[in-house]
Amino acid sequence: MTTETVTESTGLDTIAELAAQLRVDSIRSSTSAGSGHPTSSMSAADLIAVLAARHLRYDWDDPHAAANDHLVFSKGHASPLLYSLFKAAGVVSDEELMTGYRRFGQRLEGHPTPVLPWVDVATGSLGQGLPDGVGIALSGRYLEHLPFRVWVLCGDSELAEGSIWEAIDKASYYRLSNLVVMADINRLGQRGPTDLGWDVDDYQGRFEAFGARTLVIDGHDLAAIDGACAEAEKTDGDRPTVIVAKTIKGRGFSEVENKEGWHGKPLPPDMAARAIKELGGERHLVVRGPLPEKVLDGPESSATTTATLELPRYDVGDPVATRKAYGDALVALGAADPRIVVLDAEVSNSTFADEFKDRFPDRYFEMFISEQQLVAAATGLNVRGYTTFASTFAAFFTRAFDFVRMGAISGVGLRLSGSHCGVEIGADGPSQMGLEDLAMMRSVHGSSVLYPSDATSTAALVAAMARTPGISYIRTTRGAYPGLYEARETFAIGGSKVLRSTEQDDVTLVGAGVTLHECVKAAELLAAEGIQARVVDCYSVKPIDAATLSHAAAVTTGRIVVAEDHHPEGGLGSAVTECLLAQGRTSLHIAHLAVRGMPGSGTGAELIAWAGIDADHIAAAARGLVRA
């Protein structure tokens, strides 16, 4: 095996050999797997060869070195190229490339994921790698003050995604000169030409309109690529750089170059053999470029000033909005831990994230009305070891759901807060009412979904989110509701609270958030009639407290009323029913009260009554079960 340690003075002939090797290995691996995207990889091979050999400052033996550059394949379907690069760097063997790509149980998956230590974030859902890269670049410039750069390879098809332009806009706003985009303009998408084809002038104009510095080059001219990368490394400016590279899909094999119909198709063995021959045969160069600067470690080990956490305290009975308690808790967390970072989507005065912004402005990032970039920036910051919280109205997380889903694939810790939930918000009307959020967040792999009812439980659960890996979501309400719990009360993710109970209870009332208060009122109405109601605060919707619910069902002979300020599909009612069925409880009599119509404007009380989730409707449903 030949090893070349390439420096800036090394001739481009070796890099040309590396580019040919990347193309050959992209063909070999995808043909061996019987699937993949070799032609999409071949168009960008020259860009990646020059970058990896001369400009990517990376210690391949220490992928977590604090000053390593970051390489993000936003064009995740070009995974054959990325894995071929890993082979060229000597960290993936030729055997693994040929037998592990796209195979069951292997780490070289169809699109990159962080199961590989050289991959920061999962990509493949287009338009996500660049927004994630913005978050990594924010960390480097504003929090860590480290000299690393973030290099992002984008395909031209994904430049139709709005999230790309959210990312460029925020990169320009935050003057991220440490962010470099390599746009592979190869003209062809999955089913034919892209919307702009090879109109690089139009691409240049668009990027510059969003504030980026743009360099237009021939993406197969190694000297031009080298010069553009060198220019991008100059950080005297305060703008991100976009290298707009005109390329040819399938470059290097004349039978498929610039031909439609070859996207996402491996070359058949006979064609692969001809392609490899045309490209000069197999090579096994090991090429490593420059190393990063030696610096202190990143945030995970350098944040040694963690103090004792002192959460805010609230009195029982005092009306406090849970969104206000969210903001209070963030401030407490920020004072205790310098790794806490908060983001918001221009509604911080409603989510109360502005409390953190006022106290710790250096650890707050405003993403404006860009919910996709909000979640992506939180993802990138988490890659760098920060504990990130991101907030907006619950309804608007629907725009960013794909980023949440991909965050789970990346294995990052995202802590999301959705305020202004349900019909409870009142006069703003249905466009502002989060009525789908519990179902959406429950569906995310490994997620935790929380819906507290008062300030004390909210503050405790926000603190628990900071300690919890994976995706966690807390639902907060607009209105102020009386405190139910003493300050010393503890709240665990996966737990619940029983507010009233006897061993002779006739029916169980299950609520969360605003409906818990209605359940308490309903229990009082029922008690006056001689009906004993157990009240369960199901603040942890996922994971749900199966033991408490199962015991309640046993005591009340399966009679359960679930009330939720949410559509009936996928929310609290679904969680309770699925839990009890999984516990083997089939003799159930469940009344599920939810928002089943299309709401309009009104007061919160009017809309809760209209939806049939107020105390009177809960009590009526309980009577029906008891007297049936």
Side-chain angles (χ1 to χ4, degrees):
M1 183 174 287
T2 304
T3 302
E4 292 279 350
T5 301
V6 179
T7 67
E8 294 179 3
S9 61
T10 301
L12 293 176
D13 53 344
T14 300
I15 297 177
E17 286 294 298
L18 173 61
Q21 175 176 311
L22 295 177
R23 289 189 170 95
V24 167
D25 286 344
S26 294
I27 293 168
R28 293 172 64 229
S29 59
S30 53
T31 295
S32 174
S35 65
H37 296 75
T39 58
S40 299
S41 299
M42 294 161 76
S43 64
D46 295 315
L47 297 170
I48 295 303
V50 173
L51 173 63
R54 287 197 169 187
H55 301 279
L56 185 72
R57 298 186 179 277
Y58 198 89
D59 186 345
W60 291 98
D61 295 324
D62 185 7
H64 301 297
N68 275 349
D69 282 355
H70 294 260
L71 175 59
V72 179
F73 265 48
S74 194
K75 176 181 173 171
H77 56 283
S79 58
L81 176 59
L82 183 62
Y83 301 153
S84 296
L85 169 62
F86 293 164
K87 174 200 161 180
V91 293
V92 165
S93 69
D94 188 70
E95 179 183 6
E96 182 177 12
L97 185 67
M98 292 300 294
T99 63
Y101 180 49
R102 287 179 168 247
R103 265 66 162 207
F104 178 74
Q106 302 299 309
R107 61 180 186 164
L108 302 185
E109 298 180 17
H111 293 76
T113 72
V115 69
L116 296 163
W118 317 280
V119 174
D120 288 315
V121 290
T123 55
S125 180
L126 291 178
Q128 297 218 16
L130 177 55
D132 291 345
V134 168
I136 299 171
L138 283 171
S139 179
R141 173 156 186 157
Y142 290 100
L143 299 177
E144 301 175 81
H145 308 290
L146 289 176
F148 65 73
R149 290 184 182 83
V150 182
W151 302 85
V152 181
L153 177 67
C154 285
D156 49 355
S157 286
E158 71 177 322
L159 300 185
E161 291 277 11
S163 57
I164 291 290
W165 304 103
E166 287 185 15
I168 292 294
D169 178 61
K170 301 308 170 290
S172 298
Y173 176 82
Y174 280 107
R175 306 185 307 281
L176 297 181
S177 56
N178 57 344
L179 177 69
V180 185
V181 180
M182 306 182 88
D184 178 20
I185 311 299
N186 66 23
R187 190 186 74 85
L188 292 174
Q190 177 168 325
R191 59 95 195 101
T194 58
D195 57 350
L196 294 183
W198 273 326
D199 189 348
V200 292
D201 292 337
D202 199 335
Y203 282 117
Q204 180 179 27
R206 294 186 183 197
F207 281 114
E208 290 181 350
F210 278 86
R213 174 176 63 160
T214 307
L215 307 171
V216 179
I217 62 169
D218 176 348
H220 301 305
D221 182 331
L222 300 182
I225 299 168
D226 190 41
C229 289
E231 182 65 24
E233 289 175 316
K234 297 177 182 178
T235 56
D236 52 346
D238 276 334
R239 295 188 293 168
T241 299
V242 179
I243 299 172
V244 179
K246 182 179 179 181
T247 64
I248 299 172
K249 197 164 187 173
R251 173 74 169 190
F253 181 37
S254 56
E255 293 184 39
V256 299
E257 280 189 355
N258 196 33
K259 298 287 198 313
E260 295 186 27
W262 282 102
H263 181 91
K265 294 181 180 179
L267 302 186
D270 58 333
M271 288 186 70
R274 294 196 299 273
I276 293 168
K277 181 177 180 181
E278 187 173 329
L279 286 161
E282 293 183 25
R283 299 159 178 81
H284 298 283
L285 291 171
V286 177
V287 179
R288 293 189 174 190
L291 290 171
E293 297 180 26
K294 294 292 184 182
V295 299
L296 295 175
D297 288 338
E300 290 137 315
S301 57
S302 64
T304 58
T305 58
T306 301
T308 301
L309 174 63
E310 296 185 8
L311 288 174
R313 299 173 68 87
Y314 308 94
D315 292 330
V316 172
D318 281 355
V320 179
T322 57
R323 59 189 175 118
K324 174 66 166 63
Y326 169 75
D328 295 343
L330 290 181
V331 171
L333 286 167
D337 188 347
R339 294 168 298 185
I340 300 293
V341 178
V342 173
L343 307 92
D344 197 89
E346 205 186 296
V347 289
S348 60
N349 58 337
S350 291
T351 63
F352 282 88
D354 60 355
E355 293 190 7
F356 186 94
K357 176 183 67 175
D358 293 342
R359 280 286 302 276
F360 307 105
D362 293 342
R363 286 187 272 146
Y364 175 87
F365 294 101
E366 179 61 68
M367 290 295 113
F368 302 96
I369 306 297
S370 301
E371 290 85 5
Q372 294 177 104
Q373 186 56 59
L374 172 74
V375 176
T379 297
L381 288 160
N382 186 261
V383 164
R384 295 302 302 157
Y386 289 95
T387 303
T388 53
F389 285 83
S391 51
T392 186
F393 286 13
F396 305 146
F397 272 120
T398 57
R399 291 176 178 261
F401 179 66
D402 193 26
F403 284 79
V404 178
R405 180 185 71 90
M406 289 295 290
I409 297 172
S410 291
V412 296
L414 294 178
R415 297 155 188 91
L416 309 174
S417 174
S419 71
H420 291 66
C421 301
V423 300
E424 181 268 347
I425 71 168
D428 279 343
S431 70
Q432 311 297 296
M433 295 173 178
L435 288 164
E436 310 83 6
D437 56 314
L438 295 179
M440 178 173 68
M441 296 301 182
R442 281 185 67 226
S443 71
V444 175
H445 175 74
S447 63
S448 300
V449 180
L450 311 169
Y451 188 14
S453 60
D454 79 342
T456 295
S457 55
T458 299
L461 290 170
V462 171
M465 291 168 71
R467 304 186 299 267
T468 301
I471 311 295
S472 55
Y473 173 72
I474 190 165
R475 192 182 212 231
T476 64
T477 48
R478 181 181 185 181
Y481 293 87
L484 299 172
Y485 299 106
E486 300 283 353
R488 64 178 180 271
E489 196 79 31
T490 60
F491 295 83
I493 293 178
S496 67
K497 295 291 182 182
V498 179
L499 274 71
R500 56 188 296 163
S501 66
T502 72
E503 288 305 307
Q504 290 77 43
D505 287 335
D506 301 300
V507 64
T508 299
L509 311 181
V510 179
V514 62
T515 61
L516 180 66
H517 295 274
E518 299 299 321
C519 286
V520 171
K521 296 175 188 175
E524 293 170 354
L525 295 175
L526 293 167
E529 303 169 20
I531 298 174
Q532 297 300 314
R534 177 170 299 222
V535 177
V536 178
D537 178 1
C538 203
Y539 66 78
S540 183
V541 181
K542 180 188 176 184
I544 201 163
D545 186 350
T548 295
L549 289 173
S550 182
H551 180 65
V555 170
T556 58
T557 60
R559 293 190 291 263
I560 298 174
V561 179
V562 183
E564 60 179 317
D565 193 0
H566 186 274
H567 286 320
E569 299 85 3
L572 178 61
S574 297
V576 170
T577 303
E578 291 163 15
C579 166
L580 292 172
L581 290 175
Q583 294 291 310
R585 297 201 170 273
T586 55
S587 180
L588 296 172
H589 309 280
I590 296 178
H592 181 198
L593 310 184
V595 182
R596 298 179 183 274
M598 179 59 69
S601 293
T603 67
E606 287 172 333
L607 288 164
I608 288 171
W610 164 84
I613 56 175
D614 64 344
D616 287 340
H617 285 86
I618 294 169
R623 291 186 200 101
L625 292 179
V626 172
R627 295 168 181 171

